[in-house]
Amino acid sequence: MSKKRESFFWISYSDLMTSMFVIMVLLFVLSTAGMYLSKHATESQLKKIQNLETAVNKLDRRYFMEDVKYKRWVLKEQINFPTGSAKMPDRYKESLIKVGQSLQKLLNDLNEMKNQPEYRDMDITYLVVIEGMASNLRDGYKYNDGLSYGRALS
């Protein structure tokens, strides 16, 4: 009778080991498939980064500089308004017109690039943010929020 129990033990033990082997093979297959899929996601992210670098390299460096701290591009020329006024001084208008023409040329070039086969899948977009800034309350002007908005509009 004890021999019969021993034979059941070894059969059960071998079944358990086979089951563990199958589980390990399944885990290996799933982890390999996961790495394969994440590789494709990483390649698409790399392509998007390269597209962005291509677009950024087209910005006219005469007018724009990189703000590394905030990871953005800003105008090289600072526009200074008279205290308490939202009216832009005339001396800045000509340079801002040139900046606008530079941005328009860049957008036209990017649209032309998208028609070329190597750039057809590029997704290049820009967000132009125009900020109007006013000092804090040190100058005694109470309506700095409205002044900032007015400066951005001018």
Side-chain angles (χ1 to χ4, degrees):
M1 192 139 190
S2 67
K3 283 197 177 220
K4 196 172 189 181
R5 282 189 187 171
E6 276 185 33
S7 66
F8 284 128
F9 172 77
W10 289 112
I11 292 174
S12 300
Y13 183 74
S14 66
D15 289 345
L16 179 65
M17 294 308 286
T18 303
S19 299
M20 298 233 349
F21 177 72
V22 168
I23 290 171
M24 294 304 288
V25 168
L26 284 174
L27 288 174
F28 174 75
V29 168
L30 290 174
S31 65
T32 303
M35 288 189 313
Y36 179 76
L37 292 175
S38 68
K39 175 186 166 202
H40 285 297
T42 305
E43 287 175 354
S44 69
Q45 290 168 348
L46 177 63
K47 186 173 181 178
K48 286 182 181 179
I49 290 170
Q50 289 170 339
N51 291 346
L52 180 63
E53 286 177 352
T54 300
V56 168
N57 286 334
K58 295 238 174 228
L59 279 172
D60 194 339
R61 307 243 191 246
R62 290 178 294 172
Y63 306 116
F64 297 98
M65 66 181 181
E66 185 177 8
D67 184 355
V68 179
K69 182 178 180 183
Y70 296 108
K71 297 181 182 176
R72 63 183 183 170
W73 290 81
V74 296
L75 282 177
K76 281 186 174 179
E77 184 177 11
Q78 194 73 354
I79 310 298
N80 295 316
F81 289 80
T83 303
S85 173
K87 184 178 181 320
M88 182 186 311
D90 291 335
R91 68 179 180 268
Y92 297 114
K93 289 182 181 179
E94 186 177 327
S95 66
L96 288 177
I97 288 172
K98 289 179 183 177
V99 169
Q101 290 169 343
S102 169
L103 286 174
Q104 184 65 47
K105 182 183 179 313
L106 173 68
L107 293 174
N108 291 338
D109 290 347
L110 290 175
N111 284 333
E112 287 177 19
M113 276 177 47
K114 287 185 178 185
N115 294 330
Q116 298 173 8
E118 63 267 19
Y119 296 111
R120 196 160 301 198
D121 296 331
M122 291 179 76
D123 183 25
I124 299 173
T125 56
Y126 281 98
L127 174 65
V128 178
V129 178
I130 300 173
E131 296 177 343
M133 297 182 199
S135 64
N136 57 19
L137 295 177
R138 286 182 280 163
D139 58 6
Y141 191 74
K142 296 180 193 177
Y143 305 107
N144 277 335
D145 291 337
L147 180 61
S148 296
Y149 181 74
R151 288 178 176 180
L153 288 177
S154 70

